[in-house]
Amino acid sequence: MGQYLMAFDAGTTSSRCILFDRAGKIKSVSQQEFTQYYPNPGWVEHDAGEIWDTQCFVAKEAMRKAGAFAEEIAAIGITNQRETTIVWDKKTGVPVCRAIVWQCRRTAREADELRRMGYGEMIREKTGLIVDAYFSATKLKWILDHTPGAREKARRGELLSGTVDTWLIWKLTGGRVHVTDYTNASRTMLFNIHELTWDQEILDLLDIPREMLPEVKPSGCIYGATDPALFGRPIPVAAAAGDQQSALFGQACFHEGDVKNTYGTGCFLLMNTGDKPVRSENGLLTTIACSLGEHVSYALEGSVYVAGAAIQWLRDEMHLIDSAAESETVAEQAKDTKGCYVVPAFTGLGAPYWDQYARGTIVGLTRGCGRSEIVRATLESVAYQVSDVIRAMEKDAGKPLTSLKADGGASRNNFLMQFQADIDGAPVIRPECVESTAFGAASLAALAIGWYDSTDDIAKQWKAERVFQPSMSGRERTERLGGWERAVSRAKGWAEQP
């Protein structure tokens, strides 16, 4: 059955591939960034062809680094940036336009109109989601409305659509399999999370032909096999899950009440709520967690749009650091931020605010604020945004956070992890393998092909690498959070037309 599991980690800014051995240890890693397109303010696009090309490259590169041949790969598991929407020609396989990324705010007006017409509660009741441009539904409608001839072709059954997992599986299988999993479907704002089916009422409302949508299956499932021409022999494609649900699985959060946060391009806090969906009264989302077989679990989620992307901004646009890793060293050079707050609402604010028109803001600047203070304030902004979500989650759960499992690239930043523990007053636990997202996808694939017998085998592999204990006084915490709330109030509604 092979000795490695291959995890595709199709992120927002890069494609990665990780090979895991049977013990869950990383054998090799390959990563390649791809182009981010910003054609208009608030718009974000990707080239779906480039996503595919880079993912193929890193897969082969990871195999080369490990000295692994195709017959040694037991299965492929895919985890992906969610909500990003791709439409392509069924016959030629060519996308009709660039992919619209989850961060993109171009359809904010369409989301506003749905709420204005009174559909917000119906959509939330069926999908668990707040009507917002974040999700796939309005993006797909926009593509059909604004790409010449697209709607007519869609009605004739000539176009297919999907999120990044669907696109990669379709390409991997040579166009034979058009499928998604429950977790990704639950992020489209088109999927009824109670009935586990595409919702015809919402499809009719947005004039989206059902025929262009993929079949929906469990996260751990053998969807098909790769085209032999890709790797030399067919490899089973045995798992797919949205990146945040995959991280919840990879962090062994299998029990009701378990909480994790992934520090990636954005931040995403999820709490396992068991086999029943929980409606949030505090600005969180109800979503589907990873599933094996037809039984599904649910989760509460709070989404922060900009986290690691803010560190990229410091590097690429502000040129205050040369690498993401340098942000920790520079931040520690400042004793504090001298009252400066950065609110990185570059594409609006997610949970619990859901302000599509908020924009990035720096407040409290004085002459004493320099490079290190701004870098520190930017890192602190990530923790503040996570804290906003935690406080909302505590209200929904009716109990305080006892600990937070952290993963993702920015969780390697010790300054950020310590500040997160301080500002929340709760321990932050970082696992030995911070690649929880990829490990989750690999673990789902392992269960699907019979490598593991149960989730207990995965839980045994999870180990903590470091626990960050809070050390900030309650008074200081209150003062800092009060300043953050004032800063957020200045960023809200900035791009809204007067």
Side-chain angles (χ1 to χ4, degrees), residues 63-391:
M63 291 172 66
R64 186 193 66 77
K65 286 182 176 180
F69 297 98
E71 54 267 27
E72 297 175 282
I73 309 299
I76 296 173
I78 297 172
T79 182
N80 57 284
Q81 55 162 314
R82 304 171 302 172
E83 298 95 17
T84 295
T85 304
I86 305 169
V87 177
W88 64 96
D89 187 287
K90 185 176 182 179
K91 186 176 181 179
T92 67
V94 177
V96 301
C97 62
R98 287 184 188 146
I100 301 182
V101 181
W102 60 271
Q103 298 165 314
C104 187
R105 309 310 295 170
R106 76 182 66 184
T107 60
R109 300 294 179 195
E110 285 84 349
D112 285 346
E113 183 65 12
L114 287 172
R115 287 194 299 272
R116 189 192 66 77
M117 294 170 66
Y119 293 113
E121 186 56 32
M122 178 272 287
I123 291 173
R124 184 181 182 191
E125 199 59 44
K126 291 185 173 192
T127 68
L129 307 177
I130 294 169
V131 174
D132 192 86
Y134 174 24
F135 306 110
S136 309
T138 57
K139 303 179 194 300
L140 180 50
K141 182 180 188 304
W142 191 95
I143 291 172
L144 295 179
D145 287 343
H146 293 83
T147 305
R151 188 167 290 286
E152 291 73 20
K153 291 184 72 174
R155 286 172 178 160
R156 293 196 300 267
E158 298 173 10
L159 298 182
L160 299 177
S161 68
T163 41
V164 172
D165 60 308
T166 302
W167 169 245
L168 291 177
I169 293 170
W170 193 84
K171 294 288 285 184
L172 282 168
T173 60
R176 293 188 299 274
V177 179
H178 184 222
V179 68
T180 190
D181 87 302
Y182 288 135
T183 67
N184 278 294
S186 75
R187 309 299 297 188
T188 61
M189 213 172 77
L190 297 170
F191 190 72
N192 190 311
I193 63 172
H194 309 283
E195 298 178 3
L196 302 180
T197 185
W198 299 115
D199 192 273
Q200 194 61 51
E201 184 179 4
I202 301 175
L203 294 176
D204 291 342
L205 176 65
L206 300 177
D207 195 13
I208 294 172
R210 190 186 185 107
E211 293 72 27
M212 69 186 304
L213 298 173
E215 183 181 359
V216 187
K217 292 189 174 184
S219 307
C221 177
I222 299 177
Y223 304 118
T226 61
D227 187 321
L230 286 174
F231 302 108
R233 66 176 289 274
I235 301 172
V237 182
D243 49 11
Q244 305 316 315
Q245 289 97 329
S246 186
L248 188 73
F249 198 85
Q251 283 274 38
C253 293
F254 303 133
H255 305 292
E256 188 173 337
D258 288 348
V259 183
K260 73 89 199 175
N261 185 52
T262 297
Y263 296 81
T265 301
C267 269
F268 302 88
L269 194 79
L270 270 74
M271 173 188 283
N272 187 325
T273 61
D275 58 4
K276 293 182 180 179
V278 174
R279 179 186 171 100
S280 173
E281 302 300 331
N282 294 281
L284 303 181
L285 306 173
T286 305
T287 195
I288 293 179
C290 290
S291 60
L292 296 165
E294 296 305 317
H295 172 77
V296 301
S297 297
Y298 294 87
L300 279 174
E301 176 175 333
S303 307
V304 172
Y305 293 154
V306 175
I311 302 172
Q312 289 180 318
W313 168 73
L314 291 174
R315 181 193 67 188
D316 298 339
E317 277 75 40
M318 300 301 287
H319 303 291
L320 294 177
I321 55 174
D322 292 325
S323 67
E326 189 185 6
S327 63
E328 180 178 346
T329 304
V330 175
E332 288 176 338
Q333 292 171 0
K335 182 180 178 181
D336 53 42
T337 66
K338 293 186 169 64
C340 170
Y341 287 86
V342 173
V343 183
F346 303 140
T347 56
L349 287 169
Y353 304 104
W354 296 108
D355 187 335
Q356 304 188 95
Y357 303 105
R359 290 295 179 266
T361 308
I362 303 177
V363 298
L365 285 174
T366 61
R367 183 64 187 269
C369 292
R371 173 189 179 221
S372 58
E373 285 77 17
I374 291 176
V375 171
R376 180 178 179 125
T378 303
L379 285 180
E380 288 184 0
S381 77
V382 176
Y384 283 128
Q385 291 178 97
V386 171
S387 183
D388 287 339
V389 176
I390 287 173
R391 282 177 284 161

Side-chain angles (χ1 to χ4, degrees), residues 5-20:
L5 292 165
M6 176 181 283
F8 280 15
D9 188 351
T12 304
T13 59
S14 68
S15 295
R16 286 159 29 93
C17 181
I18 301 180
L19 294 189
F20 291 92

